[in-house]
Amino acid sequence: MKYDIVCFSHLRWNFVYQRPQHLLSRFSKSGRVFFIEEPVWDVGKETISIKQVNKNIWVIVPHLFSNTDRNFLLNKKKEVVDYVLREMQIVDYIFWYYSPMALPYSSHAEPALIIYDCMDELSSFKNAPATLKENENKLIQKADVMFMGGYSLYHAKKHLHYNAYPFPSSIDKEHFFTARLKTCKEDLYKNIPHPRLGFYGVIDERMNMQLLAGIAGKKPHWQFILIGPIAKINEKSIPALPNIHYLGAKRYEELPAYLSGWDIAIMPFALNEATRYISPTKTPEFLAAGKPVISTSITDVVKPYGEKNFVAIADTADEFTAAAENIFNTILVDRHSYDTWLKNVDSFLEGMSWDKTWDDMKTVIEMAMQKKEMKNLDKSEAYV
């Protein structure tokens, strides 16, 4: 594609490496990406930071004062968009939205195409802006293409847009296959013994801390590893038990080494509005690492992973411990059982990759672009 992408995101580029980074990094092999983050407030001086983080990727961070009139602030944000387009000589471009809240200060521009990559039901998240739903409805009306980050989200919203497609979480298999090489250096875990049950990801209101505490309390000799940034909750929310170990956030490049030191991967998600439509990227990542997985009954985990017996589903502490004991007593002690399980997992994962996801998305985008160009051509000919 001959276009640049200007992306509006509620997530920061350096927060957690996930869907936006996987997709936009692949686009950047053929075009430029300008990743506009939400403002940083009240840091002493109003400015616009433009930082190149990769060969063809720039991250833009506005630094603004919050104690200003709402309309004045809206105009300031519009000026940021205009400044980036002008300063970086962006002429032919696509607007790619993760955050509907960016629509009010970007709708004045004239992109060649508008894409809404709806990766989550953001309105259900803690501290969601009151106007998020309203802005999302407007964005859906303006968008030429709407992608959805999971099948449950797609089925809930596909009726809202004429050109909607499900693109659930995918995987960089080669990256996580390295966890199977048993390359974990034990000093990563210092004096934390086996068995180890681990989770990595953003630790926020989607985690069921009560469930985690219940499991850890029932099995004090099992060690529970938590890796990832804490967001929107207090660190004191993590149960203060001697067998629960919070190791902080780690870089994406480090994750396979930490994974290789686990016995079982766990996803103790709460079952609430914030998790109703999630499609955890970590599900195929854990499996690619060769780790048995236990999860609560998240819809996009149950189907397909639970139904195919790749992931054990458990919603209570008793169910979790029973599932883990079953794993310890079967596939983790019987090499044939493990190899059979892993062979089935690998067969399922074979056709899954972020490269394929991006190629399929690119086909949809090119079709939408051609359709829009033809429509604009028809309009121009009508005035001849």
Side-chain angles (χ1 to χ4, degrees):
M1 286 186 287
K2 61 181 179 179
Y3 296 88
D4 294 326
I5 281 183
V6 178
C7 176
F8 300 93
S9 179
H10 59 292
L11 299 168
R12 301 204 179 276
W13 184 265
N14 289 324
F15 180 53
V16 174
Y17 200 91
Q18 50 188 306
R19 182 185 184 92
Q21 291 88 341
H22 279 295
L23 294 174
L24 297 175
S25 292
R26 282 159 175 79
F27 172 84
S28 72
K29 294 176 182 178
S30 60
R32 298 185 300 171
V33 174
F34 300 93
F35 191 85
I36 301 180
E37 298 183 352
E38 293 183 338
V40 172
W41 302 104
D42 303 323
V43 291
K45 182 181 179 182
E46 286 198 333
T47 184
I48 302 171
S49 167
I50 301 178
K51 181 179 180 182
Q52 188 169 0
V53 297
N54 214 322
K55 180 182 178 182
N56 261 348
I57 301 175
W58 286 261
V59 173
I60 294 90
V61 184
H63 295 78
L64 302 175
F65 297 136
S66 61
N67 59 342
T68 54
D69 175 77
R70 180 179 297 180
N71 289 330
F72 182 81
L73 191 57
L74 180 62
N75 288 329
K76 277 285 186 181
K77 291 180 179 180
K78 287 181 179 179
E79 290 174 9
V80 171
V81 175
D82 292 340
Y83 176 82
V84 172
L85 294 177
R86 183 178 64 252
E87 187 73 11
M88 302 306 294
Q89 300 179 9
I90 305 169
V91 179
D92 299 315
Y93 58 95
I94 295 169
F95 272 180
W96 186 294
Y97 289 89
Y98 284 106
S99 172
M101 296 304 294
L103 185 64
Y105 57 84
S106 59
S107 60
H108 65 287
E110 297 181 356
L113 204 72
I114 296 175
I115 297 169
Y116 178 28
D117 189 10
C118 181
M119 62 183 287
D120 285 305
E121 181 55 81
L122 295 179
S123 62
S124 298
F125 283 19
K126 188 176 182 180
N127 302 329
T131 58
L132 195 150
K133 267 291 187 184
E134 177 186 351
N135 284 318
E136 182 183 55
N137 290 335
K138 292 178 180 178
L139 176 57
I140 291 172
Q141 293 300 313
K142 286 179 67 71
D144 299 292
V145 181
M146 185 173 176
F147 297 136
M148 259 76 100
Y151 286 109
S152 60
L153 191 59
Y154 171 72
H155 290 305
K157 293 195 172 190
K158 63 180 180 179
H159 67 284
L160 299 175
H161 200 278
Y162 69 96
N163 200 23
Y165 300 84
F167 281 102
S169 299
S170 197
I171 184 176
D172 181 357
K173 288 194 290 288
E174 290 73 18
H175 182 62
F176 290 96
F177 275 169
T178 60
R180 302 184 185 186
L181 302 177
K182 306 299 181 186
T183 55
C184 173
K185 297 178 181 178
E186 284 302 311
D187 61 357
L188 289 178
Y189 291 109
K190 297 180 180 178
N191 297 319
I192 304 175
H194 289 274
R196 299 187 191 123
L197 295 84
F199 169 90
Y200 69 68
V202 180
I203 299 171
D204 57 16
E205 78 274 17
R206 293 172 292 178
M207 286 281 285
N208 189 336
M209 295 300 182
Q210 186 176 357
L211 175 60
L212 179 62
I215 304 165
K218 285 179 175 295
K219 296 293 181 180
H221 63 290
W222 293 358
Q223 307 302 313
F224 295 84
I225 312 297
L226 300 180
I227 292 173
I230 294 174
K232 296 180 287 186
I233 63 171
N234 194 298
E235 186 171 336
K236 293 180 180 178
S237 300
I238 298 174
L241 295 174
N243 59 334
I244 295 179
H245 311 273
Y246 173 58
L247 305 187
K250 305 299 175 186
R251 292 180 295 110
Y252 180 73
E253 293 77 14
E254 298 176 283
L255 294 179
Y258 280 91
L259 259 170
S260 68
W262 300 353
D263 298 292
I264 296 174
I266 59 171
M267 299 193 299
F269 288 115
L271 300 178
N272 56 30
E273 283 301 305
T275 63
R276 185 177 179 186
Y277 299 115
I278 64 171
S279 177
T281 306
K282 58 188 61 57
T283 314
E285 291 175 351
F286 289 161
L287 292 172
K291 298 303 173 184
V293 184
I294 309 172
S295 173
T296 49
S297 54
I298 298 300
T299 301
D300 282 12
V301 177
V302 173
K303 185 178 182 179
Y305 299 102
E307 292 179 350
K308 293 183 177 295
N309 295 318
F310 299 152
V311 173
I313 305 299
D315 287 325
T316 68
D318 286 338
E319 290 173 354
F320 243 91
T321 54
E325 285 173 341
N326 181 59
I327 291 170
F328 285 130
N329 294 327
T330 54
I331 63 176
L332 290 186
V333 296
D334 179 5
R335 187 70 197 185
H336 175 73
S337 295
Y338 177 79
D339 288 345
T340 300
W341 171 79
L342 192 58
K343 182 179 179 181
N344 291 332
V345 166
D346 286 345
S347 178
F348 178 80
L349 296 178
E350 185 176 356
M352 185 186 299
S353 73
W354 282 115
D355 287 338
K356 182 179 186 303
T357 297
W358 174 247
D359 285 343
D360 292 344
M361 280 184 165
K362 187 168 67 171
T363 298
V364 172
I365 294 168
E366 289 172 346
M367 289 173 58
M369 190 70 77
Q370 290 171 7
K371 185 175 181 180
K372 193 165 185 179
E373 288 173 352
M374 289 296 294
K375 188 175 180 180
N376 290 337
L377 183 61
D378 290 342
K379 282 183 179 180
S380 64
E381 289 178 347
Y383 289 99
V384 175

